[in-house]
């Protein structure tokens, strides 16, 4: 009985290490992120690409109300996965820091500097009583001195820089595709195609309207990509062709069944 009570103490405490060096609440927060819809970030030669699955859970839900991609400043944006309310708090924090940096120093905040500010705040919630870890992860990407940079922040408060990565569900399949197909000479359009194809490696039953896509470049800053361009990337990734082939196979099968 005493052993069970000790285990529950480590399980419920947000700032307690278990005897094997784990913080269970952080692991539970990571699990919450892994159950969310995936968001992909890709660094290209021209800028950073964000592609997020934003499929409505009901036909009665307005798709525009699902916000997975956010502008933090003219030169930096973010994608989220996990608990939406937790992510919103972190996004508001990052926006205030970006605005404060411009007011205080008269220049845009660095992408790495902003990421570490946010992750420092996330980490505080893993060692302070009366709080819980954020059940959300962020991809933060933008332009630093003309160079595209992409970072990921997880519920432990660890910042890592990436060439391409994913947060949310289906990580193993999506990250595997990114590792196989990413190149250091990707154009912005090719980066969108890669992100769309990577999402399809996990779940190919989605349409262009189910995706939210944004880019961050030095010339245009943060830009939301219209659905027409998403459809072009969708076709370039070969998804329409596969769907048509599947539809033809199903039609042939139905015809054979009728005969």
């Amino acid at each position: 009985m005493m052993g069970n009570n000790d285990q529950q103490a480590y399980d419920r405490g947000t700032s307690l290490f278990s005897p094997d060096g784990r913080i269970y609440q952080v692991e539970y927060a990571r699990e919450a992120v892994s159950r969310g819809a995936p968001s992909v970030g890709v660094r290209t030669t021209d800028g950073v690409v964000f592609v997020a699955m934003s499929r409505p859970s009901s036909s009665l839900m307005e798709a525009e109300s699902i916000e997975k991609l956010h502008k933090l400043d003219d030169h930096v944006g973010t994608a989220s996965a996990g608990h939406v309310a937790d992510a919103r708090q972190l996004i508001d924090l990052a926006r205030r820091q970006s605005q404060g940096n411009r007011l205080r120093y008269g220049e845009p905040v660095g992408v790495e500097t902003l990421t570490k500010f946010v992750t420092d705040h996330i980490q505080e919630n893993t060692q302070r009583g009366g709080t819980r870890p954020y059940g959300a992860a962020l991809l933060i990407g933008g332009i630093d001195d003309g160079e595209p940079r992409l970072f990921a922040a997880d519920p432990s408060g660890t910042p890592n820089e990436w060439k391409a990565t994913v947060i949310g569900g289906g990580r193993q399949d999506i990250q595997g595709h990114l590792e196989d197909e990413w190149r250091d000479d990707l154009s912005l359009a090719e980066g969108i195609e890669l992100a769309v194809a990577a999402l399809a490696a996990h779940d190919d039953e989605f349409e262009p309207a189910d995706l939210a896509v944004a880019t961050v470049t030095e010339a245009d800053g943060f830009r939301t990509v219209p659905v027409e361009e998403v459809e072009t990337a969708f076709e370039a990734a070969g998804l329409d062709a596969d769907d048509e082939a599947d539809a033809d196979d199903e039609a042939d099968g139905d015809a054979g069944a009728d005969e």
Side-chain angles (χ1 to χ4, degrees):
M1 182 65 71
M2 184 64 69
N4 290 337
N5 290 338
D6 289 344
Q7 184 64 40
Q8 289 178 359
Y10 296 122
D11 189 82
R12 294 172 181 170
T14 59
S15 58
L16 294 176
F17 284 101
S18 70
D20 57 350
R22 298 159 62 186
I23 301 178
Y24 289 113
Q25 291 296 321
V26 171
E27 295 184 14
Y28 298 154
R30 285 175 173 156
E31 181 64 23
V33 172
S34 71
R35 293 174 181 269
S39 296
V40 176
V42 178
R43 192 180 75 193
T44 71
T45 57
D46 305 316
V48 176
V49 171
F50 296 113
V51 179
M53 188 70 70
S54 59
R55 180 189 298 152
S57 59
S58 168
S59 60
L60 299 179
M61 180 183 291
E62 290 288 353
E64 292 77 10
S65 67
I66 304 174
E67 295 184 322
K68 297 293 296 292
L69 307 181
H70 304 264
K71 177 181 178 180
L72 301 180
D73 202 342
D74 291 338
H75 69 297
V76 61
T78 187
S80 65
H83 284 289
V84 175
D86 285 12
R88 188 173 65 243
Q89 294 299 311
L90 295 174
I91 290 163
D92 288 345
L93 176 74
R95 284 172 169 168
R96 290 195 299 270
Q97 179 66 11
S98 298
Q99 294 168 4
N101 196 87
R102 282 187 179 273
L103 289 172
R104 187 176 298 112
Y105 302 112
E107 62 183 19
V109 67
V111 179
E112 182 175 7
T113 301
L114 180 61
T115 300
K116 290 186 175 180
F117 176 83
V118 173
T119 53
D120 284 349
H121 177 77
I122 294 172
Q123 191 276 335
E124 287 179 7
N125 278 32
T126 69
Q127 67 176 51
R128 190 168 54 190
T131 64
R132 64 164 175 79
Y134 286 93
L138 298 179
L139 296 176
I140 300 175
I143 306 299
D144 252 348
D145 296 326
E147 295 294 327
R149 303 190 71 182
L150 174 66
F151 292 85
D154 81 340
S156 71
T158 303
N160 291 309
E161 187 167 9
W162 293 84
K163 299 171 183 176
T165 191
V166 58
I167 53 176
R171 176 175 174 80
Q172 183 173 358
D173 294 334
I174 298 171
Q175 189 68 35
H177 186 90
L178 293 173
E179 291 173 356
D180 291 340
E181 300 297 332
W182 187 88
R183 310 188 317 271
D184 58 7
D185 61 346
L186 284 174
S187 67
L188 204 65
E190 290 172 335
I192 297 175
E193 294 168 18
L194 172 59
V196 171
L199 287 172
H202 170 64
D203 175 12
D204 59 359
E205 296 183 0
F206 62 87
E207 301 176 356
D210 296 329
L211 301 178
V213 182
T215 60
V216 186
T217 62
E218 188 171 21
D220 299 327
F222 183 91
R223 173 178 177 265
T224 300
V225 177
V227 68
E228 293 79 14
E229 294 183 32
V230 179
E231 290 173 352
T232 300
F234 203 80
E235 295 172 0
L239 299 180
D240 275 353
D242 292 340
D243 292 343
E244 290 173 2
D246 292 342
D248 291 340
D249 291 341
E250 291 177 4
D252 293 340
D254 292 342
D258 290 341
E259 294 174 358

